Amino acid sequence: MKLLLVLLLTASAASGADLVRLGKSPYRIVVSAQAPPAERRAAEELQRYVREISGAELPIRDDSRAVRGPLVLIGRSRALARIAPSLPPRRLGPEGFVIETRGPHLVIAGGGQRGTMYGVYEFLERLGVRWFTADVTRVPRLRSIPLGNLRVRQEPAFEYREPFFTEAFDRDWAARNRANGDHARLDASTGGKVGYYPFVHSFNQLVPPEKYFAEHPEYFSLIDGKRRAERSQLCLTNEAVLRIATETVDRWIAEHPEAAIFSVSQNDWEGWCECDRCRRVEEEEGGAHSGPLLRFVNALADQIAKKHPGKLIDTLAYWYTEAPPLRVRPRPNVRIRLCPIGICTAHSFSQCPRSAYFYRNLQAWAKITDQLYVWHYNTNFRHYLMPFPDLDELAADIPLYRRTGVKGLFLQGAYPEGGGGEMAWLKSWVLARLLWDPSRDAWKLVDEFLEGVYGRAAPLMRRYLDLLHAEVRPQPAGRGLHLWIFNVPDYSPRLLDEGFRLFDEAEKAAESAEIRRRIRKDRLSLEYLALLRSARYEVRAGRYAPANLELLKDNARAFLAGARRHGIRSLHEGRPIEFDDRFFESLQSYQAERLENRFFEAIVVPLLNARIVRFLDKTRGRELLRPAPQHDLRYPDTGGIAAGVHAHRRAPAWPAHWRAERAGEGQLLLSAALDNGLQVRHRIVLTERGLALDTTVSNPAPDEIAAVIQHHAEAAPGDIDAEALEYADTSGRSIRRLLIQPGEPPEGRLQFDAPALPREGFRLSLAGFFAASGDAARAAAQWTAKTPPAAIFTYWSQETRLAPGSAVRLSSFYSRK
């Protein structure tokens, strides 16, 4: 900034023009008498900040009468047409602007509704003004403001720019930092925004199942041979579905004329349609689930274009539709929002092997459409306060998106009411800067923010950020951890030890109580990580519990009170902070039942759904199960080996309150009566061969009840990049599949239905974990390289409607081979 001011002063000396000299100005601000609200705002903002910078008051005049003297011409006006008829240029984009001096006059004019306003903010930024947060603004004090010979032209790198944090929703902050996304509280006074209706996941709004399913189940997905209303999608080859959806969008356009883009997008779960017509389209499109979706969206968009040529239709390339189709191409009025939900967010997807699959998808979509948007993720959605070192990745990938041809970016961070996500205010500002101009140096922007917000504590806050990012930076500079948007990273103890020391020093260095408050708010991230560490469950002396349960609860109360003092109302997506009150207060110590012989040890916790939380191979001293994942908000009722009873395979398990009794050496018999009347008997037997589960569900009730049994085991793999799944098909042919395939997603799944189940079970080649079932109707093996890595084996009984007096049974077996 000092260099910029020197250059301006040098230019001023050459031209002799000063907007303000020694606190006084001869300039008047001129706007059109018919100026739109955003241009009037631009004039007022310029007047306000020039006054705050220099003390000079520049009067605002409209062009209804001639105005004498040197002028600041804001937007198109008769005065501008007289003085500089070539400005703004005809080919200037809808949000671009020019800043030019013409003789003694200053021209700031732009395209569209917002261009001129953005030009004023650029001019003020060149004077040193910064709007770091909604509450923290930096305004320099200058007795004189030189103009010099200005020739500035800018257009944004992306047409749609949304840093999606609560901290970025403020109207004035968003306008001043040139964010134009749907969720910012922008209005006519700021030139509007890029508005959606609805924003996303709209299938159930397009064709509501509560309205149509009873009479027309064929409108909804066929899943496992049955039409489903719950956690389903639409049957996208059904002509009636297309007609109803088109009528719905047509109504939305009439009801929401302010919106430019209308979402026709899948629900936020799987459940694609498996009917013959949908499958046929998938086959024609190279097996891509995006094929039926894009054909459907195109057909709808064609109808909308006839009546509403200026409106756009949006859909997702998300989850199961992320890979592009083989043949169909998006219509010109269709926006594809590509969602890299599975990538590593620590490293650029162009460099990280865990994210190579997404880079391939991005390049493939960019080849078939020039209207590509991206929905990028930049927080931990299960734990908003979790330290999340993704600044290196964002610094690399936002420019890469631009080079690839992406037109719009939605950067999803923590967005609950009250805000407070990890470093959300810093990331909001840095990302807004990069969305306008990706060529900016991200870490220089970080330093500028730290200096403006933390004052003398800025160097210590930067050292903390470097410490945090060292956890994920490639070796030897860092530890090389990967980072995921739902998982709890395996951070080193040094992050907590050194991080707390840096925060202590930063508080001491802070020059005001307000800066200390900001530092304490940022410190909550480390405190949250420490709290989660202390909540880990372990087996000790016949109990399954954290190391110090009462201290944990005291610390949780203090932490949550501190979070509330900073206005934080949620720590997890979709859950208020009261969830955490209940979560920590509900933690308890559980009785653990031990089964043991000379080869194996198994620990069962009956009150946690009869969950087996330890399965130890004593001969090798190796735990066969992965650590229970803390990112699952049902923790500690997660991981291990467990049984459940469901209405169908996509339904949640019914709660079971187990009673346990010893049933002989190495055996535990558990029984439960479910709320729907079903009776469950679950036997766990440990022998020198391994661990056997046997579950029987019977129906003593007078009516039929739908039921299916699931057995679920989460094994600890060996080196996940070298681990392989071994099994034999029905012909006896041996198959060996490397779990993590180069260039493929870092997780995957195989499913087998009877009679095509693997003949002799599954085996992990390195870990040796073995899983089998002799009577399952379905078996699935899935795996993940995400923290903590796992190979997960699931068995299902036959889905059935249990008649009164009938039963269904499932058995499975686990060992090391």
Side-chain angles (χ1 to χ4, degrees):
M1 183 53 64
K2 288 180 180 179
L3 176 60
L4 174 61
L5 290 175
V6 169
L7 291 173
L8 286 173
L9 285 167
T10 302
S12 174
S15 68
D18 285 332
L19 181 64
V20 177
R21 178 173 292 177
L22 300 178
K24 297 185 181 299
S25 176
Y27 280 81
R28 287 168 172 77
I29 300 171
V30 178
V31 295
S32 169
Q34 288 77 45
E39 289 189 2
R40 293 188 177 277
R41 173 191 172 93
E44 293 165 359
E45 291 277 82
L46 180 64
Q47 180 188 57
R48 169 187 171 179
Y49 283 102
V50 168
R51 181 175 60 245
E52 290 188 23
I53 291 169
S54 67
E57 185 77 24
L58 277 60
I60 299 175
R61 300 287 187 264
D62 66 40
D63 66 349
S64 58
R65 291 182 295 178
V67 183
R68 295 181 179 180
L71 306 178
V72 180
L73 299 156
I74 301 297
R76 290 180 172 87
S77 65
R78 287 187 294 177
L80 179 62
R82 176 174 53 84
I83 293 170
S86 63
L87 296 181
R90 291 182 180 179
R91 300 184 68 179
L92 192 65
E95 293 183 308
F97 57 81
V98 293
I99 305 172
E100 292 194 13
T101 47
R102 291 294 179 95
H105 308 295
L106 172 64
V107 177
I108 305 177
Q113 293 292 310
R114 296 181 289 275
T116 296
M117 180 181 70
Y118 290 157
V120 165
Y121 290 135
E122 172 66 21
F123 178 77
L124 293 171
E125 286 181 8
R126 288 171 175 248
L127 299 182
V129 180
R130 295 291 185 274
W131 300 276
F132 293 117
T133 76
D135 302 314
V136 181
T137 299
R138 184 182 72 196
V139 180
R141 298 295 182 257
L142 304 171
R143 291 286 288 158
S144 297
I145 301 177
L147 286 179
N149 184 22
L150 288 172
R151 291 290 186 273
V152 177
R153 175 172 175 161
Q154 287 190 16
E155 294 182 59
F158 300 100
E159 68 181 27
Y160 167 62
R161 305 174 301 281
E162 183 148 20
F164 187 64
F165 294 85
T166 307
E167 287 74 3
F169 294 167
D170 179 80
R171 183 195 66 172
D172 292 334
W173 183 94
R176 291 163 178 165
N177 287 288
R178 297 178 242 177
N180 67 357
D182 180 77
H183 293 81
R185 291 184 285 273
L186 298 164
D187 55 25
S189 74
T190 57
K193 57 187 175 182
V194 178
Y196 275 80
Y197 186 85
F199 190 67
V200 75
H201 301 313
S202 62
F203 272 9
N204 278 2
Q205 294 168 265
L206 287 163
V207 185
E210 63 273 14
K211 179 178 180 179
Y212 290 104
F213 185 79
E215 294 187 11
H216 294 284
E218 71 275 13
Y219 291 176
F220 302 90
S221 293
L222 183 75
I223 303 171
D224 289 340
K226 298 178 182 178
R227 297 285 177 176
R228 304 279 191 192
E230 298 175 1
R231 298 187 71 80
S232 178
Q233 307 289 350
L234 298 176
C235 179
L236 297 172
T237 55
N238 187 299
E239 293 183 2
V241 171
L242 176 61
R243 174 180 55 79
I244 294 167
T246 304
E247 292 171 354
T248 301
V249 173
D250 190 57
R251 187 181 74 251
W252 287 347
I253 292 172
E255 294 172 348
H256 299 275
E258 77 285 353
I261 305 176
F262 294 84
S263 174
V264 178
S265 55
Q266 68 211 57
N267 297 321
D268 198 8
W269 46 74
E270 293 186 337
W272 57 86
C273 186
E274 299 170 352
C275 76
D276 290 342
R277 288 177 302 181
C278 288
R279 283 184 168 178
R280 190 178 309 117
V281 172
E282 288 180 0
E283 291 172 3
E284 293 170 1
E285 295 292 350
H289 294 306
S290 58
L293 173 64
L294 187 51
R295 289 193 189 186
F296 176 86
V297 170
N298 277 349
L300 185 150
D302 286 343
Q303 296 302 310
I304 294 300
K306 295 174 183 178
K307 293 180 63 177
H308 309 284
K311 299 299 184 180
L312 303 174
I313 302 300
D314 162 276
T315 196
L316 299 179
Y318 168 65
W319 204 344
Y320 64 88
T321 60
E322 183 179 321
L326 180 64
R327 293 188 174 90
V328 65
R329 300 296 182 255
R331 294 289 194 266
N333 62 334
V334 170
R335 291 291 188 272
I336 302 295
R337 265 193 294 182
L338 177 58
C339 309
I341 194 167
I343 66 169
C344 165
T345 53
H347 314 116
S348 173
F349 52 74
S350 68
Q351 302 295 323
C352 182
R354 296 282 189 258
S355 305
Y357 78 96
F358 168 71
Y359 193 24
R360 182 177 66 248
N361 288 337
L362 171 66
Q363 292 171 312
W365 277 108
K367 287 180 180 178
I368 66 173
T369 178
D370 60 358
Q371 305 295 335
L372 184 62
Y373 284 8
V374 168
W375 180 315
H376 195 92
Y377 303 88
N378 38 281
T379 192
N380 187 313
F381 292 94
R382 297 269 173 80
H383 302 280
Y384 279 152
L385 281 175
M386 180 63 61
F388 200 77
D390 65 339
L391 288 170
D392 288 342
E393 182 268 327
L394 291 165
D397 286 343
I398 291 176
L400 182 54
Y401 281 134
R402 168 68 171 164
R403 294 195 298 273
T404 310
V406 171
K407 294 296 192 294
L409 271 177
F410 176 78
L411 299 172
Q412 187 180 9
Y415 60 96
E417 186 177 359
E422 185 262 358
M423 287 290 173
W425 41 22
L426 180 149
K427 292 180 182 179
S428 295
W429 188 79
V430 171
L431 296 180
R433 308 277 87 196
L434 294 175
L435 287 172
W436 183 268
D437 180 5
S439 69
R440 301 286 298 272
D441 185 311
W443 281 100
K444 286 184 179 178
L445 292 170
V446 168
D447 287 337
E448 185 176 8
F449 182 93
L450 296 178
E451 291 165 7
V453 174
Y454 300 99
R456 290 197 296 265
L460 291 158
M461 297 300 292
R462 174 58 193 263
R463 286 171 59 189
Y464 165 70
L465 289 175
D466 287 337
L467 174 73
L468 174 59
H469 282 77
E471 295 287 320
V472 299
R473 284 174 176 155
Q475 297 176 340
R479 295 183 63 219
L481 296 182
H482 294 284
L483 187 67
W484 316 103
I485 64 171
F486 296 113
N487 302 62
V488 177
D490 186 22
Y491 290 133
S492 66
R494 180 173 177 262
L495 176 62
L496 287 174
D497 296 340
E498 182 69 9
F500 279 132
R501 186 186 67 78
L502 289 170
F503 274 110
D504 289 342
E505 292 184 16
E507 284 194 48
K508 293 176 184 177
E511 58 262 46
S512 70
E514 175 58 26
I515 291 177
R516 281 191 291 276
R517 188 192 69 82
R518 296 169 196 163
I519 294 168
R520 287 170 185 158
K521 184 175 183 179
D522 290 331
R523 182 191 181 106
L524 289 172
S525 291
L526 282 188
E527 293 177 354
Y528 184 71
L529 176 60
L531 191 66
L532 282 188
R533 291 273 174 94
S534 67
R536 287 175 175 167
Y537 269 68
E538 296 180 7
V539 178
R540 297 180 184 86
R543 309 293 298 182
Y544 188 54
N548 191 327
L549 185 58
E550 293 309 311
L551 179 61
L552 168 63
K553 291 186 175 185
D554 288 342
N555 290 342
R557 295 183 195 107
F559 169 79
L560 294 171
R564 285 184 166 96
R565 284 194 296 272
H566 288 283
I568 294 173
R569 302 182 188 180
S570 174
L571 303 182
H572 323 278
E573 186 178 33
R575 297 178 188 261
I577 197 170
E578 288 75 18
F579 168 86
D580 294 271
D581 294 326
R582 296 188 295 271
F583 172 81
F584 284 105
E585 291 301 326
S586 70
L587 295 180
Q588 58 182 289
S589 173
Y590 296 96
Q591 177 67 37
E593 300 287 345
R594 184 188 306 271
L595 303 176
E596 188 172 16
N597 56 43
R598 60 178 177 156
F599 295 113
F600 298 103
E601 177 191 47
I603 302 293
V604 185
V605 181
L607 292 181
L608 286 180
N609 280 318
R611 191 171 303 277
I612 299 164
V613 299
R614 177 186 291 172
F615 186 26
L616 180 67
D617 175 6
K618 294 172 66 176
T619 61
R620 296 177 178 263
R622 176 184 171 86
E623 173 57 61
L624 298 176
L625 304 179
R626 76 158 170 173
Q630 278 190 289
H631 63 262
D632 190 324
L633 298 181
R634 298 169 299 172
Y635 188 84
D637 194 10
T638 60
I641 302 175
V645 183
H646 309 244
H648 56 81
R649 293 187 183 115
R650 294 181 181 270
W654 283 305
H657 307 287
W658 296 99
R659 299 182 301 276
E661 59 181 288
R662 293 281 179 169
E665 184 178 354
Q667 297 190 43
L668 195 64
L669 179 63
L670 301 109
S671 58
L674 305 184
D675 291 342
N676 60 3
L678 294 177
Q679 300 285 337
V680 187
R681 287 175 64 84
H682 181 57
R683 187 181 296 273
I684 301 172
V685 180
L686 184 70
T687 70
E688 293 187 351
R689 293 181 58 248
L691 188 65
L693 274 60
D694 192 298
T695 308
T696 301
V697 177
S698 58
N699 180 16
D703 301 314
E704 282 189 350
I705 301 175
V708 60
I709 304 170
Q710 181 203 69
H711 289 175
H712 179 89
E714 299 189 5
D719 178 355
I720 190 64
D721 289 297
E723 186 64 272
L725 181 69
E726 299 175 341
Y727 59 96
D729 65 16
T730 53
S731 68
R733 179 172 61 98
S734 295
I735 297 172
R736 185 179 189 275
R737 187 195 192 285
L738 195 66
L739 295 185
I740 306 301
Q741 303 273 351
E744 295 301 318
E747 50 197 356
R749 186 174 190 270
L750 294 174
Q751 179 177 296
F752 305 85
D753 289 314
L757 270 64
R759 292 179 56 180
E760 299 174 358
F762 301 103
R763 179 182 179 274
L764 296 178
S765 63
L766 297 182
F769 188 89
F770 174 79
S773 173
D775 55 3
R778 172 172 291 178
Q782 62 189 97
W783 52 90
T784 179
K786 300 178 181 181
T787 312
I792 301 170
F793 302 96
T794 305
Y795 294 103
W796 294 94
S797 70
Q798 187 68 44
E799 282 190 335
T800 184
R801 294 193 62 82
L802 283 178
S806 65
V808 62
R809 179 172 177 254
L810 177 66
S811 61
S812 60
F813 178 76
Y814 309 93
S815 187
R816 187 193 185 284
K817 289 192 175 182

